[in-house]
Amino acid sequence: MAMRSHYCGLVTEALLGQTVTLCGWVNRRRDHGGVIFIDLRDREGTVQVVCDPDRPEMFHTAEEVRNEYCVQVTGLVRARPAGTTNDKLKSGQIEVLCHELKVLNPSVTPPFQLDEENLSETTRLTHRVLDLRRPYMQHNLMLRYRVAMEVRKFLDANGFIDIETPMLTKSTPEGARDYLVPSRVHPGMFFALPQSPQLFKQLLMVAGFDRYYQITKCFRDEDLRADRQPEFTQIDIETSFMDEQDIRALFEHMVRTVFQNTLGIDLGSFPVMSYQEAARRFGSDKPDLRVRLEFTELTDVMKEVDFKVFSAAANMPGGRVVALRVPGGAEISRSEIDGYTEFVKIYGAKGLAWIKVNEVAKGRDGLQSPIVKNLHDAALDAILARSGAQDGDLIFFGADKEKVVNDAIGALRIKIGHSEFGKKKGLFEDRWAPLWVVDFPMFEFDEDEQRWNAVHHPFTAPKDGHEDWMVSAPEKCLSKAYDMVLNGWELGGGSVRIHRADVQQKVFDALKISPEEAQLKFGFLLDALQYGAPPHGGLAFGLDRMITLMTGAESIRDVIAFPKTQRAQCLLTHAPSPVDEKQLRELHIRLRSVEAPKAA
């Protein structure tokens, strides 16, 4: 016989007058002078249990229980007395009059109350099992499960097959650093944990499976930022005989279906924007369209100005000068402007020029800024006309190499838009803002190594006709790559792949990858492509990112059951940890030197 008849959080008025048996944890125990109330919690929510003293044995047990005791309750569902209902709970109209109470397992005093706010993340991750009991975390992981199920249902209905790919694979020196696994059987040899199943999913297309997917772990040993994890989860997809537009349409439909079926949200149709337009207007390949601020291009009118910061940037190869008009920004204080100046320095900017627009009609005399005197009239007229500046606005400027300008002023755009000032002034729209970004460059130039690198990976197909520019003019080549962006986050990305050996060779030539090097790194894929490889393409979605957006969580660590810290440590299990000398000997590994482990 089952130990319970219902989940706590699902007991409602539909069960009035019935006897139920519940199991869960004591969320809180309240003694109201002769009557004890227990808020009993399980994964579906809480229910109020009332313990009266007219059942002495049960009541004595109720007096003994404490927070986080695991208990079993049998009792009668009855309506709560008038004035004591709780509309925030699914079970808030009823209570359970306790007949029997059994302690299944007592608990030591927990290190924190589960409803405590402002817990440090170190505390939460050290005691992750208790942290996961909190309704917030239970909700996040339950939603994660429902999203994964919706994805599986959609892909199954559209003919996709779930195929597992290896976790122990070959190290290919592309992208981030690999996690390496030593082989005991083959001394001195190493497996790598996959950064993604990219090569294997292409092999599955050559093998004729036509439509593949996998919800799988990927591993990257990279320097961690706030929302990066050494292991993360991808919804990985590949399909044959579909062109770029077909692929985008199908997976836009998938994401819209998932949001509709899990959150009841209609994302609407996704606008499409070229990478070039996104960089020109927003300085980003993943623009947050909720922020109603855009760049104003000024490079062409700043070549002759006396202000050297602007003229030097306008005349340097790959330089850029832009303005960012902030409506109503004249009320931003000088100390806040100084704060923004320090902020853009994080992104390589040397400073942040600005002009306060007091009165447009007065031209030069209506502008307030130390730089105005060094700008000729034509430049000032262009700034005001192109930006659409009005009285009471503030205009910020970025002038440097294009990447620095895009990164710094793009980040400033987001910071101002998301600020209290930005929301008060209507510079931020509280909505879901999806977007496809397409037509990415094939290559980017590495200044340090003086060579071209693939923007995505070397197997990304060029736009039709662009393959002829790969060696002669790599900077002109656009790819059949696409990213799905939501609220300024890259939700997923992919491309149509190269399936012909002659085109693949042109990419290797552009990247200066020799035939020997290509064979060494990717030989097994190149060999397979010779056997009638079909046209194919796909993409991968970041499941962790998707759930973070859907829950509004502060960090992806709040949607992963057992995450690592920013220093790539698990505070719960104390991994990574030393291993004994015997294990190392079996793996033919000797440590050069071991520093004392630093405190987390």
Side-chain angles (χ1 to χ4, degrees):
M1 182 178 169
M3 289 185 70
R4 65 178 167 204
S5 61
H6 298 82
Y7 280 106
C8 301
L10 301 183
V11 181
T12 66
E13 306 95 299
L15 297 172
L16 281 170
Q18 294 186 34
T19 298
V20 295
T21 301
L22 312 173
C23 293
W25 289 266
V26 175
N27 195 57
R28 198 168 288 280
R29 173 188 164 281
R30 294 167 283 136
D31 193 334
H32 284 204
V35 179
I36 292 172
F37 292 88
I38 293 173
D39 296 332
L40 193 62
R41 184 192 72 245
D42 60 20
R43 73 177 202 192
E44 299 296 339
T46 60
V47 67
Q48 179 171 282
V49 177
V50 182
C51 304
D52 284 338
D54 55 0
R55 296 176 186 265
E57 189 177 340
M58 176 276 294
F59 192 77
H60 175 68
T61 305
E63 288 178 313
E64 299 295 318
V65 301
R66 295 293 181 267
N67 287 3
E68 300 312 312
Y69 274 39
C70 184
V71 302
Q72 181 187 53
V73 167
T74 300
L76 179 71
V77 180
R78 69 182 188 186
R80 288 198 191 192
T84 66
T85 58
N86 183 349
D87 293 334
K88 292 179 182 177
L89 296 180
K90 199 179 283 189
S91 64
Q93 306 302 310
I94 58 88
E95 60 190 17
V96 175
L97 179 63
C98 188
H99 293 168
E100 295 176 39
L101 175 62
K102 180 179 180 183
V103 175
L104 300 174
N105 213 341
S107 169
V108 297
T109 303
F112 54 84
Q113 294 287 343
L114 267 63
D115 55 4
E116 206 173 309
E117 293 184 8
N118 303 318
L119 284 168
S120 78
E121 191 171 64
T122 298
T123 300
R124 290 179 56 204
L125 295 182
T126 302
H127 304 282
R128 187 59 160 185
V129 175
L130 289 176
D131 185 45
L132 287 172
R133 284 187 186 175
R134 296 189 306 129
Y136 168 72
M137 289 302 301
Q138 297 249 319
H139 167 265
N140 289 358
L141 291 179
M142 298 277 276
L143 178 66
R144 184 183 178 113
Y145 162 73
R146 291 201 304 276
V147 167
M149 283 302 297
E150 287 296 333
V151 166
R152 290 186 184 281
K153 285 194 289 188
F154 181 92
L155 292 173
D156 183 66
N158 283 276
F160 285 81
I161 303 165
D162 183 354
I163 304 177
E164 295 172 35
T165 53
M167 282 293 157
L168 295 175
T169 182
K170 178 183 171 67
S171 178
T172 55
E174 295 292 317
R177 226 178 269 107
D178 284 328
Y179 274 101
L180 298 176
V181 180
S183 168
R184 180 184 59 79
V185 179
H186 301 280
M189 301 287 193
F190 292 83
F191 294 106
L193 300 180
Q195 294 186 30
S196 82
Q198 179 63 48
L199 300 180
F200 284 105
K201 66 181 181 180
Q202 290 190 247
L203 292 173
L204 288 168
M205 293 304 100
V206 181
F209 285 97
D210 195 68
R211 294 190 171 197
Y212 140 95
Y213 86 97
Q214 194 180 183
I215 299 180
T216 187
K217 280 273 189 274
C218 302
F219 305 86
R220 292 180 188 171
D221 185 9
E222 55 190 352
D223 296 330
L224 300 177
R225 296 201 297 256
D227 272 346
R228 280 190 176 164
Q229 286 282 298
E231 52 180 317
F232 56 95
T233 304
Q234 272 187 191
I235 305 167
D236 197 53
I237 308 166
E238 196 80 0
T239 179
S240 297
F241 308 115
M242 290 180 76
D243 64 22
E244 181 184 346
Q245 283 70 28
D246 292 335
I247 293 171
R248 288 209 318 262
L250 180 63
F251 295 110
E252 178 177 324
H253 182 32
M254 182 186 88
V255 171
R256 289 184 61 181
T257 300
V258 168
F259 270 74
Q260 184 67 60
N261 291 353
T262 55
L263 297 182
I265 287 169
D266 181 1
L267 291 177
S269 59
F270 291 24
V272 179
M273 184 180 294
S274 71
Y275 167 85
Q276 289 75 14
E277 182 184 352
R280 177 174 56 80
R281 293 173 59 191
F282 309 109
S284 171
D285 61 359
K286 47 181 186 296
D288 186 346
L289 298 186
R290 298 173 301 170
V291 176
R292 302 170 70 176
L293 299 171
E294 290 193 24
F295 287 13
T296 300
E297 187 62 57
L298 296 170
T299 311
D300 58 321
V301 294
M302 293 298 173
K303 293 181 184 293
E304 307 298 330
V305 297
D306 291 337
F307 188 47
K308 292 288 184 280
V309 172
F310 286 4
S311 57
N315 287 296
M316 76 166 70
R320 188 177 191 195
V321 183
V322 303
L324 184 74
R325 172 195 161 217
V326 181
E331 64 187 63
I332 294 175
S333 69
R334 186 58 195 269
S335 65
E336 288 175 291
I337 291 175
D338 291 343
Y340 287 138
T341 303
E342 291 305 308
F343 173 73
V344 296
K345 288 179 181 176
I346 298 169
Y347 299 90
K350 299 176 185 71
L352 183 64
W354 53 271
I355 293 177
K356 279 191 178 180
V357 182
N358 294 326
E359 202 169 337
V360 175
K362 287 186 176 178
R364 178 183 294 274
D365 294 336
L367 305 178
Q368 179 187 342
S369 167
I371 71 168
V372 169
K373 63 181 182 291
N374 294 316
L375 299 177
H376 52 58
D377 288 344
L380 289 175
D381 290 345
I383 291 168
L384 295 175
R386 292 184 187 182
S387 69
Q390 297 177 16
D391 296 353
D393 290 352
L394 178 65
I395 303 174
F396 287 115
F397 298 89
D400 209 311
K401 289 182 178 174
E402 184 175 16
K403 183 179 188 322
V404 172
V405 170
N406 288 353
D407 290 352
I409 307 303
L412 179 65
R413 171 183 173 269
I414 297 297
K415 189 170 181 66
I416 293 171
H418 284 253
S419 68
E420 287 305 313
F421 167 84
K423 290 174 180 174
K424 182 179 76 177
K425 292 291 185 181
L427 307 181
F428 178 86
E429 296 177 89
D430 189 10
R431 64 183 178 95
W432 291 95
L435 174 72
W436 281 109
V437 178
V438 301
D439 296 352
F440 282 84
M442 278 283 286
F443 308 107
E444 58 189 352
F445 193 69
D446 186 322
E447 296 281 355
D448 296 332
E449 297 193 12
Q450 289 294 299
R451 61 177 286 177
W452 292 94
N453 290 328
V455 169
H456 282 78
H457 52 65
F459 313 109
T460 301
K463 289 281 184 189
D464 296 340
H466 288 216
E467 58 268 21
D468 297 333
W469 293 334
M470 283 192 201
V471 177
S472 61
E475 70 280 359
K476 286 186 181 179
C477 288
L478 300 181
S479 65
K480 294 181 180 178
Y482 34 81
D483 280 357
M484 183 185 286
V485 176
L486 184 61
N487 295 0
W489 287 39
E490 182 192 328
L491 204 60
S495 66
V496 174
R497 323 300 183 191
I498 295 168
H499 66 285
R500 291 171 53 111
D502 56 337
V503 178
Q504 186 65 68
Q505 189 55 54
K506 288 180 179 178
V507 174
F508 287 153
D509 291 344
L511 297 174
K512 292 187 167 55
I513 295 176
S514 67
E516 294 76 23
E517 188 183 359
Q519 194 63 31
L520 184 67
K521 289 180 178 178
F522 316 113
F524 58 96
L525 175 65
L526 300 177
D527 291 347
L529 291 176
Q530 298 177 90
Y531 296 102
H536 61 285
L539 74 175
F541 292 98
L543 181 63
D544 310 304
R545 285 185 184 179
M546 187 182 291
I547 308 304
T548 304
L549 277 168
M550 295 173 96
T551 58
E554 292 288 314
S555 158
I556 63 170
R557 290 187 290 279
D558 280 353
V559 301
I560 298 170
F562 301 105
K564 309 291 188 291
T565 65
Q566 283 188 48
R567 296 187 59 220
Q569 293 173 299
C570 175
L571 300 184
L572 178 70
T573 63
H574 304 293
S577 59
V579 296
D580 63 41
E581 185 62 31
K582 180 170 181 271
Q583 283 178 281
L584 292 175
R585 277 201 306 273
E586 286 179 337
L587 294 168
H588 312 281
I589 288 177
R590 178 185 296 132
L591 300 180
R592 282 182 171 179
S593 64
V594 181
E595 294 180 15
K598 295 174 183 173

